[in-house]
Amino acid sequence: MIEQTDAMEIDRAVKTRHRQMWALGDYPALAEEIIPELGAILVRAAGVEPGDRVLDVAAGTGNAAIPAALAGASVLASDLTPELLAAGRALAAERGAELEWQQADAEALPYADGEFDSVLSCVGVMFAPRHQASADELVRVCRPGGTIGLLNWTPEGFIGQLFATMKPYAPPPPPGAQPPPLWGSEEHVRALLGDRVTDVVTRRQTVLVDRFAGPDAFRDYFKTHYGPTISVYRAIAGDPERVAALDHDLAHLARRHTPDDGVMRWEYLLLTAHKCG
């Protein structure tokens, strides 16, 4: 019983840090300025139709949830971070989208088995620490024959390499946590979902990003807007040499991924599947 209590306390601490990390900076602005089209791409790929009951897991500000609602679906957007949900509500109101918003943990969703026709996540569930626990929940709350749709950054793509670049500077991950970009590996996601799904369709695509004037501009934007990057910098704030080294490494990463036309191409994996009946 004592070990179980300790494990629960550790889990609560991990989730608290996770919420705090995503509340740092200005992720709502980043999602709106850099990747606004990704959610609509996922909604179309998942075949969301009017009247469908849709759950957006780790919805953030509703990148997928809002397009699904505008397509006529009955949508519930869930996320661990209330600050992101508040921004999503405001954005939905601006766009005339009506949907539900609820704070929820992707690893322990408070919904019934088979409650939703479609269960989606757009660069969201990939950041939950325990991949199998989250995948099990995605499958559980989807009805038999329903659709699971995922859009995640690949390990080899720019954002996957961003996390690889930050890793040497970041604190050790909590026990059992796996790297987020693994969700962008088809083999990894197929293993997570297992034989509980069928009709798996995957494709790698890129989103074009021309927001940044140069590598330094990218680095400085992410230092002030992106919670995971801000968190790493805070962890090394007392070591000016490591801060300077990370400054260099992030600018170098952006330079390597910016071709002569100045347009970055960030790769993601788009996956859809049907839950076995």
Side-chain angles (χ1 to χ4, degrees), residues 18-109:
H18 195 76
R19 288 196 301 270
Q20 292 170 343
M21 179 183 73
W22 285 105
L24 294 172
D26 194 350
Y27 185 77
L30 186 153
E32 181 68 12
E33 295 170 3
I34 310 298
I35 54 170
E37 69 269 38
L38 290 188
I41 290 171
L42 177 59
V43 168
R44 289 194 297 270
V48 172
E49 297 181 345
D52 284 352
R53 179 68 168 151
V54 175
L55 174 66
D56 186 3
V57 178
T61 56
N63 200 306
I66 292 173
L70 292 174
S74 174
V75 181
L76 196 162
S78 68
D79 197 278
L80 191 65
T81 305
E83 291 86 351
L84 298 184
L85 295 176
R89 287 190 186 95
L91 186 60
E94 290 177 11
R95 297 185 178 177
E98 295 185 5
L99 62 153
E100 299 177 70
W101 302 84
Q102 186 173 34
Q103 186 175 3
D105 180 357
E107 297 178 358
L109 295 171

Side-chain angles (χ1 to χ4, degrees), residues 73-152:
S74 174
V75 181
L76 196 162
S78 68
D79 197 278
L80 191 65
T81 305
E83 291 86 351
L84 298 184
L85 295 176
R89 287 190 186 95
L91 186 60
E94 290 177 11
R95 297 185 178 177
E98 295 185 5
L99 62 153
E100 299 177 70
W101 302 84
Q102 186 173 34
Q103 186 175 3
D105 180 357
E107 297 178 358
L109 295 171
Y111 312 119
D113 295 358
E115 185 171 343
F116 300 93
D117 299 304
S118 294
V119 179
L120 311 178
S121 188
C122 182
V123 295
V125 73
M126 65 183 292
F127 294 104
R130 292 185 287 270
H131 294 187
Q132 191 62 64
S134 299
D136 291 347
E137 288 294 270
L138 296 177
V139 175
R140 181 184 66 79
V141 300
C142 185
R143 68 165 174 82
T147 301
I148 296 171
L150 305 170
L151 191 156
N152 295 307

Side-chain angles (χ1 to χ4, degrees), residues 3-273:
E3 290 183 1
Q4 182 179 3
T5 301
D6 289 344
M8 292 174 62
E9 289 296 331
I10 292 172
D11 184 68
R12 278 195 287 268
V14 168
K15 299 301 168 59
T16 297
R17 289 195 297 270
H18 195 76
R19 288 196 301 270
Q20 292 170 343
M21 179 183 73
W22 285 105
L24 294 172
D26 194 350
Y27 185 77
L30 186 153
E32 181 68 12
E33 295 170 3
I34 310 298
I35 54 170
E37 69 269 38
L38 290 188
I41 290 171
L42 177 59
V43 168
R44 289 194 297 270
V48 172
E49 297 181 345
D52 284 352
R53 179 68 168 151
V54 175
L55 174 66
D56 186 3
V57 178
T61 56
N63 200 306
I66 292 173
L70 292 174
S74 174
V75 181
L76 196 162
S78 68
D79 197 278
L80 191 65
T81 305
E83 291 86 351
L84 298 184
L85 295 176
R89 287 190 186 95
L91 186 60
E94 290 177 11
R95 297 185 178 177
E98 295 185 5
L99 62 153
E100 299 177 70
W101 302 84
Q102 186 173 34
Q103 186 175 3
D105 180 357
E107 297 178 358
L109 295 171
Y111 312 119
D113 295 358
E115 185 171 343
F116 300 93
D117 299 304
S118 294
V119 179
L120 311 178
S121 188
C122 182
V123 295
V125 73
M126 65 183 292
F127 294 104
R130 292 185 287 270
H131 294 187
Q132 191 62 64
S134 299
D136 291 347
E137 288 294 270
L138 296 177
V139 175
R140 181 184 66 79
V141 300
C142 185
R143 68 165 174 82
T147 301
I148 296 171
L150 305 170
L151 191 156
N152 295 307
W153 304 118
T154 65
E156 303 84 3
F158 180 75
I159 297 297
Q161 290 303 297
L162 170 67
F163 278 89
T165 299
M166 295 191 301
K167 182 178 179 180
Y169 301 92
Q178 293 177 281
L182 280 179
W183 278 89
S185 162
E186 178 181 347
E187 180 181 10
H188 182 69
V189 181
R190 282 181 177 270
L192 291 174
L193 300 177
D195 60 5
R196 299 171 295 179
V197 300
T198 186
D199 304 324
V200 178
V201 177
T202 65
R203 55 183 181 270
R204 289 182 177 230
Q205 299 181 174
T206 57
V207 58
L208 304 183
V209 178
D210 60 0
R211 167 70 170 69
F212 305 112
D216 290 351
F218 156 78
R219 178 201 62 214
D220 295 343
Y221 184 93
F222 266 59
K223 284 178 68 172
T224 56
H225 286 72
Y226 195 51
T229 302
I230 297 170
S231 180
V232 172
Y233 271 99
R234 287 190 174 188
I236 61 173
D239 189 335
E241 290 186 2
R242 284 173 63 77
V243 170
L246 181 54
D247 278 346
H248 170 271
D249 289 351
L250 291 183
H252 181 65
L253 172 71
R255 190 171 296 110
R256 288 193 290 109
H257 284 263
T258 306
D260 292 339
D261 63 4
V263 179
M264 306 174 81
R265 291 160 175 84
W266 296 1
E267 185 183 61
Y268 59 85
L269 178 73
L270 181 62
L271 180 148
T272 58

